């Protein structure tokens, strides 16, 4: 288990398409998941994709519980999600503030689908099938975007709502306790 360096926006690896996992329960996959959880928690992240530590596999982890970076965010259970697929349940979208461990210090207002069903597997190959909404749905969309080489700034529609977190808070645009996803 180890805390791994996180690649930052501009590193071309973050633009790659990650490959599906073909074998579950292997020592390599379990070590990857442990490293991702260690790295996410050490950085108070709400989620992390394998690609962010330079591993081009379709693996994401997320967890929101008493996170000091998002004190008002709703709880999302610890989830290890491999080979995820997403099905949007309506065209309804909400805008919410997001951050990303690969874009440190910044926040942007990102429209995301409000509700979705996601499916995939845990690291041992057990199926996951959940229907979620709101912040949970936002986190899933943010993390799964990473697997296709997409970072949240590409999803921002109004670039005036993108900037350094401290500036946005100082100007009053970003609520101090804004829920975000990264
Ligand atoms: Ni991110």
């Amino acid at each position: 288990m180890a805390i791994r360096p996180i690649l930052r926006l501009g590193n071309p690896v973050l633009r790659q398409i990650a490959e599906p996992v073909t074998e579950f329960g292997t020592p390599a996959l379990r070590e990857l998941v442990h490293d991702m959880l260690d790295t996410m928690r050490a950085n108070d992240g709400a989620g992390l994709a394998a690609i962010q530590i330079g591993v081009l596999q379709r693996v994401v982890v997320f967890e929101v519980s008493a996170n000091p970076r998002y004190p008002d965010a709703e709880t999302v259970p610890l989830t290890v999600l491999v080979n995820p697929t997403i099905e949007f349940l309506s065209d309804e979208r909400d805008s919410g503030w997001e951050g990303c461990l690969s874009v440190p210090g910044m926040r942007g207002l990102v429209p995301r689908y409000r509700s979705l069903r996601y499916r995939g597997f845990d690291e041992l190959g057990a199926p996951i099938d959940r229907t979620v909404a709101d912040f949970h749905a936002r986190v899933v969309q943010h993390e799964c975007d990473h697997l296709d080489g997409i970072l949240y700034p590409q999803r921002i529609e109004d670039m005036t709502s993108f900037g350094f977190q401290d500036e946005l808070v100082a100007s009053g645009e970003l609520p101090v306790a804004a829920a975000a996803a990264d």
Side-chain angles (χ1 to χ4, degrees):
M1 292 191 280
I3 297 167
R4 307 262 294 260
I6 297 174
L7 308 183
R8 292 182 308 156
L9 178 65
N11 186 310
V13 172
L14 292 170
R15 303 276 180 220
Q16 302 280 310
I17 309 288
E19 296 287 335
V21 169
T22 54
E23 274 192 282
F24 293 87
T26 62
L29 183 57
R30 295 171 81 145
E31 184 180 346
L32 171 64
V33 167
H34 278 131
D35 285 359
M36 290 172 66
L37 293 172
D38 285 350
T39 303
M40 175 179 75
R41 288 168 169 159
N43 291 280
D44 291 329
L48 190 75
I51 199 167
Q52 291 179 274
I53 57 171
V55 177
L56 288 165
Q57 294 196 42
R58 302 188 81 81
V59 180
V60 303
V61 297
F62 47 86
E63 173 181 41
V64 181
S65 61
N67 186 325
R69 290 181 65 202
Y70 313 119
D72 290 351
E74 65 197 79
T75 298
V76 178
L78 171 64
T79 302
V80 176
L81 184 61
V82 180
N83 296 350
T85 60
I86 293 179
E87 176 188 346
F88 299 114
L89 300 179
S90 81
D91 291 334
E92 193 183 348
R93 296 195 303 169
D94 292 328
S95 284
W97 290 96
E98 296 187 17
C100 181
L101 296 176
S102 293
V103 193
M106 304 195 78
R107 288 287 185 276
L109 198 58
V110 184
R112 297 283 189 188
Y113 290 99
R114 194 176 166 277
S115 60
L116 56 81
R117 177 181 182 182
Y118 68 93
R119 282 174 274 194
F121 304 89
D122 71 11
E123 72 273 32
L124 300 176
I128 293 170
D129 183 344
R130 292 182 186 149
T131 297
V132 301
D134 302 319
F135 189 66
H136 191 153
R138 176 171 297 278
V139 170
V140 170
Q141 288 169 84
H142 177 115
E143 297 310 329
C144 290
D145 263 359
H146 276 296
L147 302 180
D148 293 323
I150 297 167
L151 289 102
Y152 81 84
Q154 290 164 261
R155 298 288 192 191
I156 296 172
E157 292 180 353
D158 176 0
M159 290 304 286
T160 65
S161 295
F162 178 50
F164 289 97
Q165 178 170 357
D166 52 359
E167 295 284 1
L168 291 165
V169 169
S171 71
E173 188 170 2
L174 175 66
V176 175
D182 64 4

